[in-house]
């Protein structure tokens, strides 16, 4: 009997989804780690005997031997793929991708960095890619691009470059890299590397005993259809995973694992429920070890978590699927009895070591 676990952030992201995914992968065999939504703007960290590892373009179950699959809702980024693949301690035996994956170019990322208006972007060009592709502008598939000869690839990249030049003014400090032909050639090499390391397949061809769907972001950032600092251009809940599971007829058990800390956290700008200094939440709340200030995302913020509101949004998202609550950072703040009053199954993590 095949099983599926769907790991979902219950709040603003940074809840500890990587720890939960790695934990269940370690307990399982013959596992496919599905990167369900978003793209390489995610940063899911796990603490291992080899040190802290942050996964962006790979699943957090990779360290424990899971194969990877990029769903049709995931945005691939060849530049980040190569960068991260070369640093992996454990490399997946198989890496699959859906042929419909949207893909990010250097110009999508650079335009993102040039025009960022708030501390709520990772600078990975996610919104830019989505707008360009969904708007029907230069939306050739990754595999069609790879089938072109080098001359046509360069011409296509030039078209994307010119598309952004009509939209934005390129600052003088960006001109050299923006106009660099070597950048385009390097990107084409990255694309070739990714093409050679991945297998194109639809999920109905994936026969595993265990599936772990790893969502990016969190429920409080779910897509509203508007480009605002309060949202992400993705459905961050269970929706995409359930769509994918329709094609996995042999999966007989599905569990939704909603992840939270005992308190709220959020990167950058945007509204936040009951924001507080961490010591006013609890004296045990520690400065986060993996989420610090960075130029794109700004400060890492903390807030009080209302468990009634947490339960409401989880029940609204779960659509009748069996729920388990995963509470990380429990060594910093003990609210176990409160969580147990609200949820039937509560799994806790004191140490992030997996």
């Amino acid at each position: 009997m095949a099983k599926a676990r769907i790991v979902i952030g219950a709040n603003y992201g940074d809840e500890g989804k990587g720890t939960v995914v790695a934990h269940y992968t370690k307990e399982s065999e013959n596992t496919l780690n599905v990167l369900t939504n978003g793209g390489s703007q995610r940063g899911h960290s796990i603490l291992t005997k080899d040190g802290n590892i942050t996964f962006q373009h790979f699943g957090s179950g990779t360290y424990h031997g899971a194969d990877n699959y990029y769903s049709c809702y995931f945005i691939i980024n060849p530049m980040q793929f190569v960068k991260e693949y070369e640093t992996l301690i454990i490399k997946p035996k198989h890496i699959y991708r859906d042929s419909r994956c949207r893909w990010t170019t250097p110009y999508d990322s650079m335009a993102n960095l040039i025009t960022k208006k708030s501390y709520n972007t990772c600078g990975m060009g996610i919104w830019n890619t989505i707008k360009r592709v969904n708007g029907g502008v230069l939306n050739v598939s990754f595999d069609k691009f790879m089938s072109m000869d080098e001359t046509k690839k360069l011409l296509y990249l030039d078209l994307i470059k010119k598309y952004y030049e009509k939209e934005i003014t390129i600052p003088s400090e960006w001109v050299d890299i923006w106009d660099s032909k070597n950048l385009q050639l390097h990107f084409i090499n990255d694309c070739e590397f990714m093409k050679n390391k991945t297998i194109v397949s639809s999920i109905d061809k994936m026969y595993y005993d265990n599936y772990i769907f790893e969502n990016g972001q969190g429920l409080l950032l779910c897509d509203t259809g508007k480009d605002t600092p309060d949202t992400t251009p993705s459905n961050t809940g269970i929706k995409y995973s359930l769509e994918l599971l329709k094609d996995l007829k042999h999966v007989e058990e599905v569990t939704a694992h909603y992840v939270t800390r005992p308190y709220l956290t959020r990167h950058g700008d945007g509204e936040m429920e009951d924001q507080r200094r961490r010591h006013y939440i609890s004296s045990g709340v520690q400065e986060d070890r993996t989420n610090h200030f960075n130029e794109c995302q700004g400060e890492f913020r903390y807030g009080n978590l209302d468990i009634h509101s947490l339960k409401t949004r989880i029940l609204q998202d779960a659509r009748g699927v069996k729920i388990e609550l995963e509470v990380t950072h429990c060594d910093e703040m003990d609210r176990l009895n409160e969580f147990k009053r609200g949820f039937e199954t509560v799994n806790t993590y004191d140490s992030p070591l997996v």
Side-chain angles (χ1 to χ4, degrees):
M1 179 180 71
K3 298 180 180 179
R5 301 181 187 273
I6 307 170
V7 178
I8 300 168
N11 307 314
Y12 297 103
D14 299 301
E15 300 93 349
K17 295 182 290 294
T19 296
V20 174
V21 169
H23 167 75
Y24 284 115
T25 306
K26 188 177 182 179
E27 289 188 342
S28 306
E29 295 181 354
N30 190 31
T31 302
L32 184 68
N33 194 166
V34 180
L35 283 79
T36 316
N37 71 315
S40 58
Q41 87 277 30
R42 63 171 66 196
H44 294 178
S45 297
I46 64 173
L47 183 63
T48 75
K49 62 181 178 60
D50 295 307
N52 189 78
I53 304 172
T54 299
F55 295 97
Q56 291 181 250
H57 212 296
F58 291 85
S60 301
T62 299
Y63 182 80
H64 292 301
D67 286 344
N68 278 219
Y69 180 70
Y70 305 128
S71 88
C72 60
Y73 304 107
F74 187 82
I75 299 170
I76 60 175
N77 184 323
M79 300 165 289
Q80 179 62 29
F81 179 91
V82 174
K83 178 182 177 182
E84 193 171 337
Y85 183 89
E86 292 175 343
T87 65
L88 290 175
I89 297 172
I90 306 295
K91 293 176 170 56
K93 186 175 181 180
H94 298 105
I95 307 170
Y96 302 94
R97 60 179 171 83
D98 192 292
S99 63
R100 296 168 291 177
C101 287
R102 291 164 291 189
W103 53 291
T104 295
T105 72
Y107 301 107
D108 301 306
S109 299
M110 288 191 288
N112 182 184
L113 290 167
I114 290 168
T115 61
K116 66 180 188 290
K117 299 176 182 177
S118 69
Y119 284 128
N120 207 61
T121 177
C122 294
M124 300 299 290
I126 298 297
W127 259 116
N128 297 68
T129 303
I130 291 173
K131 288 178 178 178
R132 175 175 58 78
V133 173
N134 289 5
V137 179
L138 301 164
N139 60 348
V140 166
S141 72
F142 179 74
D143 292 297
K144 186 172 182 179
F145 175 76
M146 292 310 299
S147 71
M148 300 175 183
D149 61 32
E150 184 175 283
T151 300
K152 289 184 178 178
K153 287 175 182 171
L154 291 171
L155 287 172
Y156 184 74
L157 292 175
D158 275 334
L159 289 174
I160 295 177
K161 177 175 178 286
K162 290 173 182 175
Y163 161 76
Y164 282 113
E165 288 171 352
K166 293 177 182 177
E167 300 287 325
I168 63 175
T169 299
I170 311 304
S172 58
E173 63 269 25
W174 284 87
V175 169
D176 285 347
I177 189 170
W178 184 269
D179 289 337
S180 171
K181 190 61 65 176
N182 284 335
L183 173 69
Q184 294 183 345
L185 293 171
H186 193 283
F187 176 68
I188 290 171
N189 288 337
D190 286 348
C191 291
E192 190 67 34
F193 183 93
M194 184 173 187
K195 176 179 178 292
N196 292 336
K197 292 294 182 183
T198 56
I199 303 165
V200 178
S201 181
S202 55
I203 199 165
D204 61 306
K205 304 295 193 298
M206 306 284 97
Y207 294 98
Y208 286 80
D209 295 323
N210 294 281
Y211 298 82
I212 299 182
F213 293 80
E214 183 173 357
N215 275 29
Q217 298 86 42
L219 293 180
L220 287 171
L221 295 175
C222 197
D223 186 20
T224 63
K226 299 178 180 179
D227 184 1
T228 73
D230 295 307
T231 62
T232 186
S234 173
N235 186 290
T236 59
I238 203 170
K239 178 181 177 180
Y240 293 160
S241 296
L242 292 184
E243 286 296 318
L244 295 168
L245 280 164
K246 289 178 181 178
D247 292 325
L248 294 173
K249 307 299 183 185
H250 64 297
V251 172
E252 299 181 27
E253 182 179 324
V254 179
T255 307
H257 299 262
Y258 289 90
V259 189
T260 186
R261 302 188 191 204
Y263 51 89
L264 290 174
T265 59
R266 177 161 192 175
H267 257 124
D269 295 341
E271 294 183 3
M272 182 177 185
E273 294 181 10
D274 203 3
Q275 180 177 342
R276 303 287 181 93
R277 293 185 180 275
R278 57 187 173 86
H279 293 306
Y280 294 153
I281 299 169
S282 171
S283 60
V285 177
Q286 302 297 309
E287 181 179 0
D288 197 87
R289 284 172 282 188
T290 60
N291 292 284
H292 303 292
F293 176 86
N294 65 68
E295 183 181 352
C296 290
Q297 288 192 301
E299 298 291 345
F300 191 67
R301 298 184 285 154
Y302 300 81
N304 282 325
L305 173 69
D306 183 282
I307 294 178
H308 175 74
S309 297
L310 174 74
K311 183 176 181 180
T312 298
R313 61 178 167 268
I314 288 175
L315 291 176
Q316 288 175 343
D317 183 69
R319 307 186 186 196
V321 173
K322 177 186 174 184
I323 294 170
E324 293 191 15
L325 187 70
E326 310 285 338
V327 186
T328 64
H329 297 78
C330 290
D331 54 327
E332 297 180 9
M333 190 177 182
D334 182 8
R335 300 185 69 185
L336 181 58
N337 289 334
E338 293 179 75
F339 284 119
K340 284 186 173 179
R341 285 195 292 269
F343 297 88
E344 184 175 341
T345 304
V346 181
N347 305 311
T348 60
Y349 302 78
D350 287 338
S351 169
L353 185 66
V354 293

